[in-house]
Amino acid sequence: MSNEHARLTALLDVLSTLGTEASTTHRGDLDLLDTDELVRRMNAEDHRVPAAVGERSAEIAAAVDGITARFRAGGRLIYLGAGTAGRVGVLDASECPPTFGTDPSMVVGLIAGGETAIRSAVENAEDDDAAAAASLRELGLTERDAVVGISASGRTPYVVGGLEFARGVGALTVAIASNPASEIGAVAEIAIEVVTGPEFISGSTRLKSGTAQKLVVNMLTTLSMIKLGKTYHGVMVDLQATNEKLRARSIRTVTELTGAEVDQASAALDAAGGSVKLAILMVATGASAEASAHALDSADGILRVAIAALS
């Protein structure tokens, strides 16, 4: 038996044990169903995902607390993944700056195969167990950082290698998988194993597995940003007004949270250099931009604390 044949045989044995790769006989008639029934059945499968995510709430909470602590220490959150899993991480990272006003280096998404793989498949990229470590080394990974590896199967070599390197450096390591007792879960300090079961189309892990991954990463960044004070009364107050829609949203946010008129809110935003948080503090307390900025800095960016200090 050749080495390649032996490797493939071993891989087939592993895949046969994974719920995400399983087939179910009751879906054998999908191509015979009308569209309404297909929609109903696929929606019924999707309904299973939020409950599966909820079963891992303790692990998700632990990851949020760990990531928040790294952020407060000046560290970063770095996602690792291949294919759909990699794109989920890249998407979440790319949405943090406009949503929360973060520096682009604070949350980073690495995908097997590099930038090209965001849109196109890169052959064998996920099998390179040294590539993620090389990228993390290039980023200057330290113990202050958090690394989250995402893999539906839980065995992607690119992710395994990256998590092993990160753990050796002393960074916080978190695994997001769709199968129990996963290889990445064994490597990471925190294993978030959301068991989503067989996919609607067997093996197509961009479906339930991808949805579960998106729900989890939504929590990791959103909840850590809440704990960092980037929301106030459940509203984004560190967003960046990079277009007309966001400028209008910024004005509306200031008026809704302070009771100010549109003209007053607009003027406060101009005086605050476009900072929604700073404008709210100025309007709410009547303090100058300089005094408000100092209060926010002293309050570690927590608007509620800064308002209390100036009131």
Side-chain angles (χ1 to χ4, degrees), residues 117-311:
I118 294 174
R119 293 178 177 83
S120 306
V122 176
E123 188 175 359
N124 296 325
E126 71 172 61
D127 296 326
D128 188 344
D129 60 0
S135 295
L136 291 171
R137 193 177 293 111
E138 186 176 339
L139 284 173
L141 188 76
T142 74
E143 70 280 356
R144 293 189 305 170
D145 299 318
V147 176
V148 176
I150 312 172
S151 166
S153 67
R155 56 154 302 278
T156 305
Y158 174 85
V159 178
V160 173
L163 286 173
E164 288 176 339
F165 174 80
R167 188 144 192 185
V169 168
L172 173 70
T173 49
V174 179
I176 303 175
S178 297
N179 289 290
S182 66
E183 189 172 349
I184 63 171
V187 172
E189 294 171 61
I190 301 172
I192 304 172
E193 296 173 329
V194 182
V195 181
T196 49
E199 295 287 0
F200 187 69
I201 300 296
S202 298
S204 182
T205 52
R206 71 183 183 86
L207 301 178
K208 289 192 298 183
S209 295
T211 300
Q213 291 160 7
K214 184 64 169 70
L215 291 176
V216 173
V217 300
N218 281 352
M219 291 185 184
L220 297 186
T221 47
T222 301
L223 302 184
S224 61
M225 295 299 172
I226 288 173
K227 294 176 78 68
L228 290 175
K230 292 185 174 294
T231 65
Y232 179 66
H233 286 225
V235 179
M236 297 178 291
V237 290
D238 264 337
L239 62 84
Q240 297 291 304
T242 54
N243 56 44
E244 191 173 74
K245 180 190 75 175
L246 292 177
R247 169 71 179 178
R249 181 181 289 168
S250 298
I251 293 172
R252 187 182 68 185
T253 298
V254 176
T255 60
E256 288 182 348
L257 292 178
T258 66
E261 298 295 329
V262 170
D263 288 347
Q264 183 187 7
S266 181
L269 280 165
D270 289 339
S275 168
V276 173
K277 183 185 286 184
L278 187 58
I280 292 170
L281 183 56
M282 292 166 62
V283 173
T285 65
S288 67
E290 183 179 358
S292 297
H294 178 73
L296 271 177
D297 186 58
S298 298
D300 291 328
I302 310 294
L303 182 55
R304 193 183 299 273
V305 175
I307 290 175
L310 289 176
S311 298

Side-chain angles (χ1 to χ4, degrees), residues 25-38:
T25 55
H26 74 274
R27 298 202 189 112
D29 61 348
L30 290 183
D31 58 314
L32 304 177
L33 302 177
D34 63 31
T35 306
D36 285 345
E37 179 62 12
L38 284 170

Side-chain angles (χ1 to χ4, degrees), residues 10-131:
L11 179 56
L12 285 170
D13 288 342
V14 171
L15 294 179
S16 69
T17 67
L18 301 180
T20 50
E21 297 292 328
S23 299
T24 54
T25 55
H26 74 274
R27 298 202 189 112
D29 61 348
L30 290 183
D31 58 314
L32 304 177
L33 302 177
D34 63 31
T35 306
D36 285 345
E37 179 62 12
L38 284 170
V39 169
R40 188 193 68 76
R41 289 202 189 186
M42 188 166 180
N43 181 245
E45 283 297 318
D46 290 342
H47 268 283
R48 300 175 186 268
V49 178
V53 172
E55 291 175 1
R56 302 275 72 82
S57 59
E59 292 88 347
I60 295 170
V64 169
D65 286 340
I67 290 166
T68 302
R70 265 64 180 185
F71 282 153
R72 286 186 174 137
R76 300 162 293 178
L77 165 59
I78 301 167
Y79 289 118
L80 303 174
T84 296
R87 295 180 190 109
V88 166
V90 169
L91 174 62
D92 194 61
S94 66
E95 290 179 339
C96 285
T99 304
F100 299 112
T102 59
D103 187 281
S105 65
M106 186 175 175
V107 183
V108 178
L110 297 178
I111 183 170
E115 294 291 312
T116 300
I118 294 174
R119 293 178 177 83
S120 306
V122 176
E123 188 175 359
N124 296 325
E126 71 172 61
D127 296 326
D128 188 344
D129 60 0

